[in-house]
Amino acid sequence: MSWLGAACGPCAGVLGGRQLMDAWKLACFFGNVLPPEALEEIGCTSCVVMIVGSMYIIENNPYVSDRFCLRKVLPPWLHYSRALSGAEAINALRPFYFAVHPDFFGQHPREREVNENSLKRLSVYLENLQKPGFKSLKPTQLTFYIREKTAQNSSEGQEPVSTTGFRAVRFTLHSSDLLSTVLYILNSCSLPVEHVQSLNTNVHSQPLKEATGMPDRPIKWHRSYYSFTGFKDPDEDLEHVSRVETTLTSWLGSNGKGAVKKLKNSLPLRKELDRLKNELSELLQLSDIRWQRGWGVAHRCSQLHSLSRLAQQNLEPLQNAKGCTIVFTDRSGMSALGHVMLGTMDVHHHWTRLFESLPNYFDLQRRMSALEDQISHLLGGIQVVYIEELQPALTLDEYYSLLDTFYNQLQRSRAPPRPQSLSGLQMILSSDRYAPSLHELGHFNIPALSDPASLQSFMRTKAQQARENMRRREKLKVIENELIQASTRKFSLEKLYKEPSISSRQMVDCCKRLLEQSLPYLHGMHLCVSHFYSVMQDGDLCIPWNWKKGEAMK
């Protein structure tokens, strides 16, 4: 328990410089626009602010003028309110996560890639907000694509809806208060905020925008305020970021020590994660255990502990997963690739039912393979594949339904089969209504409702180009693996990997330029090639594949 207090009224004696500053801060707070961190510096014997856990209780001193009393100055809803917890913040952001979830952008790799990267940076920002004693954060600019059912008028910070049904939203986070950040994100994306009020039943029923001190227009504080209080000017930080282009060496020089500290702190949990993974893989005779999202090590350990407890309580149903790959993801079921998906929000009862129903899924999987073979026969021997990195995260049921729709389309056309004319080539199915296309990796992108006659003509015309693309892809993959190994050895990296959205061509370009550098900061680190700079919560370093050269900043 800690107390914040200082004199700011007549009974405190003669007002000095400190007291005048306190009074000035309270006057500023009267408009409910003072940055939250200023409250930590406010001292006032007219009110005593007692911090108990995450509860803020404001007591009044009857001997001091009401003019500087926090009970009179602050809005009523703040007299007795509790801070937003991390779990409540995630719950409050559910509409936002649903609007930007990468799974809904499977056929739009650019938008999916942008949302994946921005979500990771947002996760780091929210995590830092919840750390005790963490007072200042660097402004973080984020961009998200939001699904839209109908066109809407664009507002500030937003672009009009595109032809693909998405709009881009850009905003900059610089608040050190979790609740304000959550509301700012929702308001920036034009999403409802009323449900946030239910998270704190003691909040006054005034509109949330007003309650969180979010004015109709942005507030520009004079530089003298920041000079006088010692707080950081967010606009100045933003100007500095835009003025100075980040280079790889400068960024590593600034963030290397922090990453090393995080990595060292995560080592015990990493060892625990490996132990749990090996024990469960051996006990259940699994092929592998994976995670669909970039969760931290602590989160992954928690999920494995939960699965381990279920195995101890009821092992028999789990033995149905023998030889399978288990993937911790957002929902339970079986994936189009035949992996057992365990929803992280589901309880043991749901997991048990899934394991019990695996024999039925295996039967559906056999029928799916037969359906793929029938489609292949009708289209001249082309192989129907599911590429996880390039397609939406479909369940086995969803993917089977997609295959069945396409097969029925082919059957109705009665087009004569072309035996083995497309043998050795690959195609992926999509639910989009766009025209068929040839991917640079060599596979065909085929909408399930394509006209069979024109489709076969298109694939025969592009067959030679597809074979050439596939040969280039195989050669590029070999070069990529060689460069990854060479880079790992040169910099003594513990691990070098890339995000799924990074192509082999981008990874090759990145590694080639890395090998030309001398980067002692990377020794023993986990390095991820991505689209942005970031230090992840467990110490992994993320760098953009197209990083800029330059000397470290002094």
Side-chain angles (χ1 to χ4, degrees):
M1 182 183 298
S2 60
W3 297 79
L4 304 175
C8 68
C11 65
V14 180
L15 289 174
R18 169 70 185 183
Q19 287 76 18
L20 285 172
M21 184 177 71
D22 294 331
W24 174 68
K25 288 181 180 178
L26 286 174
C28 291
F29 213 118
F30 185 84
N32 193 24
V33 293
L34 195 64
E37 58 266 25
L39 185 59
E40 299 178 8
E41 299 294 332
I42 295 176
C44 174
T45 53
S46 63
C47 295
V48 178
V49 181
M50 179 173 66
I51 303 177
V52 186
S54 61
M55 306 295 292
Y56 297 84
I57 306 171
I58 299 177
E59 302 292 345
N60 189 36
N61 186 335
Y63 298 104
V64 182
S65 169
D66 287 345
R67 190 162 57 97
F68 294 124
C69 175
L70 288 183
R71 186 175 293 277
K72 302 294 183 180
V73 173
L74 298 182
W77 59 268
L78 192 59
H79 291 168
Y80 188 88
S81 63
R82 63 182 177 81
L84 202 66
S85 69
E88 288 172 332
I90 292 175
N91 188 46
L93 287 172
R94 279 182 179 272
F96 166 74
Y97 288 133
F98 181 78
V100 303
H101 201 289
D103 283 354
F104 296 112
F105 298 79
Q107 298 301 321
H108 306 279
R110 177 177 175 270
E111 288 82 0
R112 180 176 69 173
E113 181 180 288
V114 169
N115 283 9
E116 283 180 344
N117 294 335
S118 294
L119 280 173
K120 290 181 180 179
R121 299 177 65 196
L122 173 62
S123 176
V124 173
Y125 189 93
L126 294 177
E127 178 194 355
N128 287 335
L129 278 183
Q130 299 170 62
K131 292 181 179 178
F134 207 98
K135 294 184 179 180
S136 63
L137 290 168
K138 291 183 179 179
T140 301
Q141 189 174 43
L142 300 175
T143 299
F144 288 98
Y145 284 93
I146 296 182
R147 298 182 299 124
E148 289 287 340
K149 293 183 179 179
T150 58
Q152 297 180 0
N153 296 329
S154 59
S155 58
E156 184 177 351
Q158 300 175 356
E159 295 180 357
V161 179
S162 67
T163 57
T164 57
F166 309 127
R167 63 181 167 91
V169 177
R170 296 182 177 87
F171 52 85
T172 301
L173 301 177
H174 48 71
S175 172
S176 60
D177 173 67
L178 188 57
L179 177 59
S180 298
T181 300
V182 167
L183 289 166
Y184 179 61
I185 292 171
L186 294 173
N187 283 315
S188 297
C189 299
S190 302
L191 294 170
V193 296
E194 289 75 14
H195 64 286
V196 182
Q197 191 169 0
S198 64
L199 298 175
N200 191 338
T201 56
N202 295 296
V203 172
H204 192 267
S205 60
Q206 59 179 299
L208 282 169
K209 284 188 179 180
E210 179 184 349
T212 54
M214 299 178 68
D216 294 332
R217 60 180 177 81
I219 295 174
K220 178 70 176 179
W221 293 94
H222 193 271
R223 293 183 182 274
S224 61
Y225 163 73
Y226 296 102
S227 300
F228 192 62
T229 61
F231 299 135
K232 287 188 176 181
D233 184 351
D235 292 332
E236 186 176 321
D237 285 349
L238 283 175
E239 290 174 7
H240 178 73
V241 169
S242 60
R243 188 170 60 248
V244 180
E245 185 177 35
T246 302
T247 64
L248 178 62
T249 50
S250 67
W251 186 82
L252 289 175
S254 301
N255 296 274
K257 291 183 179 179
V260 169
K261 183 178 179 181
K262 287 185 175 182
L263 181 61
K264 287 182 177 178
N265 291 338
S266 72
L267 289 179
L269 274 178
R270 288 180 187 271
K271 292 180 179 178
E272 175 71 1
L273 180 66
D274 290 339
R275 183 188 67 80
L276 288 169
K277 185 176 178 180
N278 292 334
E279 286 183 358
L280 282 169
S281 296
E282 183 177 351
L283 175 65
L284 304 179
Q285 300 183 53
L286 301 174
S287 176
D288 194 9
I289 298 178
R290 302 176 188 172
W291 287 263
Q292 190 184 44
R293 298 275 165 251
W295 286 302
V297 176
H299 197 160
R300 297 186 180 198
C301 281
S302 175
Q303 292 160 356
L304 290 185
H305 275 298
S306 183
L307 182 59
S308 180
R309 287 194 298 271
L310 179 59
Q312 293 172 5
Q313 296 166 4
N314 192 5
L315 179 61
E316 185 177 354
L318 276 66
Q319 292 175 330
N320 288 330
K322 178 181 178 181
C324 295
T325 293
I326 285 182
V327 181
F328 288 95
T329 181
D330 302 320
R331 53 178 174 167
S332 295
M334 178 169 280
S335 74
L337 290 174
H339 300 331
V340 179
M341 303 190 304
L342 297 182
T344 57
M345 300 298 291
D346 292 338
V347 295
H348 281 178
H349 174 66
H350 295 117
W351 286 3
T352 301
R353 288 176 57 188
L354 171 62
F355 284 114
E356 290 173 344
S357 63
L358 284 183
N360 295 329
Y361 278 112
F362 295 148
D363 179 62
L364 181 60
Q365 198 173 16
R366 286 188 290 269
R367 287 189 282 138
M368 182 197 73
S369 298
L371 197 54
E372 288 178 335
D373 291 341
Q374 289 174 309
I375 293 173
S376 176
H377 174 70
L378 292 174
L379 292 179
I382 191 170
Q383 182 185 10
V384 184
V385 296
Y386 178 88
I387 304 177
E388 191 174 16
E389 295 82 6
L390 301 177
Q391 294 183 255
L394 299 178
T395 64
L396 186 62
D397 307 79
E398 293 167 342
Y399 188 55
Y400 181 85
S401 176
L402 191 65
L403 287 170
D404 189 56
T405 299
F406 184 63
Y407 176 71
N408 291 332
Q409 187 87 345
L410 293 177
Q411 286 286 80
R412 283 193 295 269
S413 71
R414 300 185 181 277
R418 304 270 180 173
Q420 303 306 309
S421 60
L422 299 176
S423 179
L425 298 180
Q426 295 179 336
M427 60 168 279
I428 64 174
L429 272 180
S430 70
S431 57
D432 287 337
R433 295 180 179 270
Y434 302 116
S437 61
L438 176 62
H439 196 276
E440 62 176 3
L441 296 179
H443 62 265
F444 289 97
N445 291 318
I446 307 299
L449 297 178
S450 299
D451 175 62
S454 59
L455 173 62
Q456 292 190 36
S457 174
F458 170 77
M459 289 196 293
R460 287 196 304 271
T461 303
K462 296 288 185 178
Q464 184 58 35
Q465 184 182 345
R467 297 184 196 279
E468 292 174 0
N469 288 359
M470 291 182 69
R471 284 194 290 268
R472 283 197 297 269
R473 179 188 69 186
E474 296 304 320
K475 291 180 180 178
L476 196 62
K477 194 66 180 177
V478 172
I479 296 174
E480 178 187 14
N481 291 334
E482 291 175 349
L483 288 173
I484 289 176
Q485 293 175 13
S487 301
T488 302
R489 288 194 302 268
K490 175 174 179 177
F491 301 112
S492 301
L493 290 167
E494 185 67 25
K495 183 180 181 182
L496 174 59
Y497 62 104
K498 67 175 184 177
E499 288 191 340
S501 58
I502 298 295
S503 67
S504 294
R505 193 180 303 278
Q506 292 170 332
M507 189 67 173
V508 165
D509 178 73
C510 177
C511 290
K512 281 183 177 179
R513 294 188 300 119
L514 278 177
L515 289 170
E516 297 171 357
Q517 305 295 308
S518 175
L519 302 169
Y521 316 96
L522 297 180
H523 182 82
M525 300 301 294
H526 292 240
L527 182 65
C528 174
V529 177
S530 177
H531 296 271
F532 58 91
Y533 287 106
S534 179
V535 178
M536 305 308 286
Q537 57 186 347
D538 296 308
D540 290 37
L541 291 167
C542 289
I543 64 170
W545 69 271
N546 56 345
W547 50 269
K548 305 296 182 182
K549 293 182 180 180
E551 297 299 325
M553 296 173 60
K554 303 297 183 185

